[in-house]
Amino acid sequence: SKKTYKHLNMNRSMSFVMLLAIIVSVADAAWEDAHATFYGDISGKETMQGACGYGDLFQEGYGLETAALSTALFNNGQTCGACFELTCVNSQWCKQNAGAIRITATNFCPPNYTPPVDIHWCNPPNKHFDLSMKMFTSIAEYKSGIVPVKFRRVKCQKRGGVRFEVKGNPNFIMVLVYNVGGAGDVNSLAIKGHKSNWISMQRNWGQNWNTGVGLVGQRLSFTVKTSDGRSLTFYDVASESWGFGQTFEAKSNFY
């Protein structure tokens, strides 16, 4: 009947409204409170290197869209490579209509227990982002120095494949993994020579991983697992003639 049809339409409309409300509430719940400052000058040279083990952030594709994380977020280096979205909130120093910025975690903002400790924003349990000057001034006025922000984890959008920088010597291999898409932060790495079995590597520091197994003269393959549980295997990334200090790019990435 027309009455029943109308009733069904009302139920569908109510269900859609309820679903939309759930989606909105989930999206809102994903945002967390923190503060942001900046370090270095507009060139960003002070943001190079850092506790994640990355080197020249321009060459590696990160540029100045980076941040040093406080202890509460850094997680002893396990968060290195993760991507975040930040927006300035509730401050007269927020730039109007600036929108949100996206950054990759590339460094550590160490705690400072010199009194008074309550002014040191990177001390536990504070969630804090120490941005490059360029990124900070994209959302807030330079003279503010510090602003409250909302943040959330987002997928990393990277160009090209996952990259592996091989360092060490014939008896010790250390691999820096970078330009990782998706979750961005690697929590396990395995390496294989074409004549060897798979070898689990140990986190040395940041996103540098090492093994004491010699693989010189063998083609190298890698299995990378990110914090969201996804795993990809990249076969024959480096040929038999690879050398220490070289960087190799896989043909694919996490998306």
Side-chain angles (χ1 to χ4, degrees), residues 34-38 86 127-131 136 139 145-149:
H35 283 81
T37 50
F38 68 89
L86 282 76
K127 294 180 179 180
H128 190 83
F129 294 85
D130 205 11
L131 303 169
F136 182 86
I139 57 173
I146 182 169
V147 290
V149 296

Side-chain angles (χ1 to χ4, degrees), residues 7-21:
H7 181 69
L8 287 172
N9 279 343
M10 288 179 65
N11 284 341
R12 287 173 180 169
S13 297
M14 290 177 66
S15 297
F16 176 76
V17 170
M18 290 175 67
L19 178 61
L20 184 61

